[in-house]
Amino acid sequence: MSLSKSILLVVLVVASVVNAKVYTKCEFAQEMKKHGVTSHADLGTWTCIASHESAFNTKAVNSVSGDYGILQINHYYWCSTTSTPGKGCNITCASLLTDDITVDIKCALHIFSETAKGSTKNGFTAWVTYKKYCTGDQSSWISGCSL
Ligand SMILES: *[C@@H]1O[C@H](CO)[C@@H](O)[C@H](O)[C@H]1NC(C)=O
């Protein structure tokens, strides 16, 4: 690759990152609260999960696992990769990548409260990063936030 082509490539990659809205910890927690999560313990846990899933980047896509958006929601169960809304949350996966994270949060709360086989609620365990990084007291994620 020529030098000018590689410079162009770098510019394009940076441009797509700049384009994505990246929430702050507090902005994210405030959005969760707006959609009905009032417990500070839960707000800390959700904020920890979003940080480890996407670094709060609304356009995050894991094309290997097929996870979309700030909370890395999976297409296998929850969203449709076609232009027609569908699967568990009755949405398109593309709608999880917009600056407005309302759709992401509503779907995440649906996943959270859905009862999986064996009648236990999914809860936070639907996110692999929860068990890995976010169990226990996660209040430090939202310290200093006005909630
Ligand atoms: C899914 O959403 C569409 C609107 O986007 C609606 O017309 C349709 O009835 C919904 N389907 C289900 C199963 O809820």
Side-chain angles (χ1 to χ4, degrees), residues 109-124:
L109 294 175
H110 173 74
I111 295 168
F112 181 88
S113 47
E114 186 173 272
T115 305
K117 271 184 255 171
S119 79
T120 45
K121 235 173 52 165
N122 283 330
F124 293 119

Side-chain angles (χ1 to χ4, degrees), residues 10-147:
V10 167
V11 169
L12 288 176
V13 169
V14 170
S16 69
V17 169
V18 169
N19 238 345
K21 178 169 168 63
V22 177
Y23 278 71
T24 66
K25 290 184 286 190
C26 292
E27 282 172 342
F28 175 79
Q30 280 150 6
E31 286 297 313
M32 291 297 306
K33 187 180 176 192
K34 210 158 87 182
H35 290 93
V37 180
T38 51
S39 145
H40 278 211
D42 286 358
L43 287 171
T45 305
W46 281 115
T47 306
C48 176
I49 289 172
S51 175
H52 285 103
E53 292 287 352
S54 68
F56 305 107
N57 185 332
T58 55
K59 289 201 170 30
V61 175
N62 182 328
S63 48
V64 177
S65 53
D67 293 328
Y68 292 81
I70 199 162
L71 284 163
Q72 290 288 278
I73 289 172
N74 196 273
H75 75 98
Y76 193 79
Y77 297 110
W78 307 112
C79 63
S80 164
T81 52
T82 73
S83 56
T84 308
K87 300 200 191 173
C89 291
N90 193 24
I91 53 171
T92 65
C93 297
S95 70
L96 295 166
L97 305 178
T98 60
D99 290 353
D100 180 346
I101 58 173
T102 299
V103 172
D104 305 64
I105 292 173
K106 284 187 175 164
C107 182
L109 294 175
H110 173 74
I111 295 168
F112 181 88
S113 47
E114 186 173 272
T115 305
K117 271 184 255 171
S119 79
T120 45
K121 235 173 52 165
N122 283 330
F124 293 119
T125 59
W127 285 266
V128 280
T129 48
Y130 169 65
K131 275 192 179 157
K132 232 169 159 177
Y133 307 108
C134 301
T135 56
D137 180 8
Q138 299 299 330
S139 58
S140 62
W141 287 100
I142 55 166
S143 69
C145 301
S146 52
L147 291 165

